Amino acid sequence: MRFKGIRVLVTGATSGIGKACALQFAKEGADVGVNHLHDTDGWEALTQEAQSLPGTLINLPGDVSKRTDVEGIFNLFCLKGPLNVLVNCAGVSQVKPFLEVSDADWQWIINTDLTSVYMCCQEAIPNMTSEHAVIINLASELGISGRAKFAPYTAAKAGVIALTKSLALEFAPRIRVNAVAPGPTATPFLEREIATPGHQEDINDIPLQRYASAEEIAHSIVFLASSEALYYTGATLHPNGGCVMS
């Protein structure tokens, strides 16, 4: 119950890492704002899983790549109290050779994976008035290492890491801002990538010889939001099974 009375907003929270975060925060007593891209089935499944948990879930549908939706999401959540923790988990990706990437592809990924973080942070920060004020941004090990056929995604995730550092400097000590850069994680996101023709994902390239679970990545995010991480800001945690050692 580390988060009893704490209000948390998670974007992209009906699937994968975002869903695992929402459930872990609710398990520890938080009031969790669940943002999703109008995923009615995902929201209903999440509420079923959270029925016996002590925290509460708040339904916040909307497209975080659009400013008007972001404003609506935060206005709705903050009507009932301040925001303590923001977790930016929403994201998309694609596997495509760089010379085949269209302007529309580039804008879709940059807007969803990077611009959404910028807009959500802009809306969140004025509403973070308590001592327990934390932002955690989901990056990726590919934002550090790069990868062929992932140019827009790697650029966006590198931008998330840089943005995290800038915000940590600007808003310390009032708000702690950190990032988590996972390695390959067993989520629908990864399943779609693996199913892409021509894509290769060799588990033997991972020193720990397996994918992470979404719950394992959520543990890192929940840790950074907790009072156990009070001396972390501007940091990027790397739960990646040894894919990138830094």
Side-chain angles (χ1 to χ4, degrees), residues 6-27:
I6 298 298
R7 306 186 78 244
V8 181
L9 197 161
V10 183
T11 70
T14 55
S15 178
I17 294 168
K19 179 180 179 180
C21 286
L23 289 170
Q24 286 196 27
F25 279 115
K27 183 178 180 179

Side-chain angles (χ1 to χ4, degrees), residues 11-115:
T11 70
T14 55
S15 178
I17 294 168
K19 179 180 179 180
C21 286
L23 289 170
Q24 286 196 27
F25 279 115
K27 183 178 180 179
E28 297 203 36
D31 296 325
V32 185
V34 176
N35 163 255
H36 54 90
L37 189 59
H38 306 286
D39 178 13
T40 303
D41 291 342
W43 163 252
E44 291 177 355
L46 179 61
T47 56
Q48 288 294 317
E49 289 187 53
Q51 271 186 336
S52 62
L53 301 181
T56 59
L57 301 182
I58 301 158
N59 191 16
L60 299 172
D63 184 347
V64 291
S65 72
K66 297 178 179 178
R67 174 69 76 171
T68 53
D69 281 25
V70 171
E71 290 173 348
I73 290 162
F74 282 85
N75 287 340
L76 180 60
F77 185 73
C78 295
L79 276 176
K80 297 186 177 180
L83 171 65
N84 302 114
V85 180
L86 169 64
V87 181
N88 285 305
C89 270
V92 295
S93 183
Q94 68 178 177
V95 184
K96 185 175 280 191
F98 177 68
L99 295 180
E100 296 177 14
V101 173
S102 68
D103 290 351
D105 294 331
W106 178 269
Q107 291 299 329
W108 172 55
I109 294 171
I110 295 296
N111 287 346
T112 306
D113 292 9
L114 177 58
T115 305

Side-chain angles (χ1 to χ4, degrees), residues 169-180:
L169 288 167
E170 186 165 347
F171 293 99
R174 186 171 73 88
I175 302 172
R176 295 188 296 107
V177 188
N178 294 291
V180 173

Side-chain angles (χ1 to χ4, degrees), residues 93-97 149-150 189-201:
S93 183
Q94 68 178 177
V95 184
K96 185 175 280 191
K149 300 182 182 179
F150 280 80
F189 194 92
L190 182 65
E191 290 172 6
R192 288 191 294 270
E193 289 181 4
I194 292 173
T196 302
H199 178 66
Q200 294 182 346
E201 191 75 48

